[in-house]
Amino acid sequence: MPITAYEIESLLREGFPDAKINVQGDDGTHFAAEVIDESFRGKNRVQQQRAVYAALKGKMDGSNGDLHALALTTKAPD
């Protein structure tokens, strides 16, 4: 079942309630997301992206995942 940008944003908001989040894409499998959150401060990019993947609750888990591709930008606020 295809996932929507709204569903992705909702999952990310659960994990990062104070973040600035922007999700784009409408083909059901390929999306881009930007997550800017204070919790990323002092973490490297891999740690930040792992936190985002955890918030997606398995939606990107291999060939069985609802989300096929996510171009991800993460950072702490300026």
Side-chain angles (χ1 to χ4, degrees), residues 13-78:
R13 290 241 172 259
E14 286 179 33
F16 305 97
D18 299 322
K20 178 183 174 201
I21 299 171
N22 181 23
V23 179
Q24 297 180 344
D26 61 4
D27 71 355
T29 55
H30 299 88
F31 296 90
E34 179 181 52
V35 182
I36 302 171
D37 191 69
E38 186 60 39
S39 69
F40 296 148
R41 192 166 307 282
K43 294 183 180 176
N44 65 39
R45 188 159 294 160
V46 171
Q47 292 168 322
Q48 294 173 17
Q49 292 187 357
R50 283 182 180 157
V52 170
Y53 293 141
L56 293 173
K57 299 180 181 177
K59 296 294 183 186
M60 288 195 73
D61 287 352
S63 61
N64 296 324
D66 294 332
L67 180 55
H68 175 70
L70 179 65
L72 187 56
T73 301
T74 57
K75 64 180 185 175
D78 292 330

